[in-house]
Amino acid sequence: MNLLVIGLVMYIVHSDCVSRFQDVDLGLETMPAAGIVARTVVNAGFHRQLVTEVTIPSDSEAGEQISCPVMLRETLPSGVFVDLYQLASQVHMGGPKVLSSEDIDVEKPEYLSPAHTVYVYGDLNVTADHTYYTRIDLPIHVRYHRPSADREVQFVTSSLKYPSIFHRCKDFNNRKKQFPLIQYPCNYENNSLCQWTELIYEKQRESIDISIPVGNQEDMLLVSMVTLVVTVAGCYLLVHTTLSGDKNTDKKKNR
């Protein structure tokens, strides 16, 4: 009985630690590799791809460690979101592995949504020139913004900051400089904690700005009228088609 109680307490403490994503300074000797990160946003409209490429020089001979885990901690602004259900369905097809500490409402507009943080997992692989490299394509979606009162304002800007990047590469642990390890979930399944080292890297810029189309308040009456007419016409056609189908079925039965 005592063993059962102790096991239950340990499980609760571990679950609470994982769910809050607390940073823990373990005070161990290690140093992050100096890396280079390039990123861009591809596609247009409300559904885009955030592409991040990470390159890290290796101090060791090729073959010591063929690959090692990497994690991107992305903080997305209120105007951008990721669909966790979409991402989960794409994992088995090679899509990015993403963990979020909170639920993300995909229906809310930008002015009712907070910024949110997600953890994107991948692998750094050794290339022919003895460097570690990975590319992560993250599907992102743009939220609807509040209509503008100024007809000249047709677009607004949302800024995507560069992520914090962490790795678990043994090749970089021999460099003699103090740098703390941090505890985060080992993978997107969030079933255990691991020690990660933050990567200090060069940035091409501080953030990437994306343009988002916005509506105009002066068009509200016209849009409302068109929406109402289309809705009523659609309902009429649906009811008419359903009743016509029922009558044809009854006639066939009477024959």
Side-chain angles (χ1 to χ4, degrees), residues 134-170:
T134 191
R135 168 176 168 155
I136 297 177
D137 291 23
L138 180 66
I140 59 174
H141 308 277
V142 175
R143 295 188 186 274
Y144 288 99
H145 285 59
R146 192 187 299 275
S148 172
D150 186 353
R151 183 165 289 279
E152 294 185 358
V153 177
Q154 300 180 351
F155 294 88
V156 295
T157 300
S158 187
S159 297
L160 297 171
K161 295 182 179 180
Y162 272 61
S164 298
I165 300 179
F166 303 85
H167 67 81
R168 289 194 285 125
C169 300
K170 296 178 182 179

Side-chain angles (χ1 to χ4, degrees), residues 74-82 100-105 108-118 143 158-161:
E74 295 272 8
T75 299
L76 300 177
S78 59
V80 177
F81 70 94
V82 294
S100 176
S101 59
E102 57 188 343
D103 292 332
I104 300 174
D105 191 332
K108 285 186 177 181
E110 177 272 337
Y111 50 88
L112 296 178
S113 303
H116 59 277
T117 299
V118 294
R143 295 188 186 274
S158 187
S159 297
L160 297 171
K161 295 182 179 180

Side-chain angles (χ1 to χ4, degrees), residues 55-99:
T55 305
I56 309 176
S58 175
D59 283 347
S60 61
E61 295 293 332
E64 275 192 37
Q65 193 175 15
I66 298 176
S67 66
C68 57
V70 65
M71 178 188 71
L72 280 59
R73 187 178 67 193
E74 295 272 8
T75 299
L76 300 177
S78 59
V80 177
F81 70 94
V82 294
D83 187 338
L84 297 178
Y85 295 100
Q86 174 198 19
L87 294 171
S89 67
Q90 294 179 349
V91 168
H92 70 284
M93 296 184 293
K97 301 173 182 178
V98 180
L99 171 65

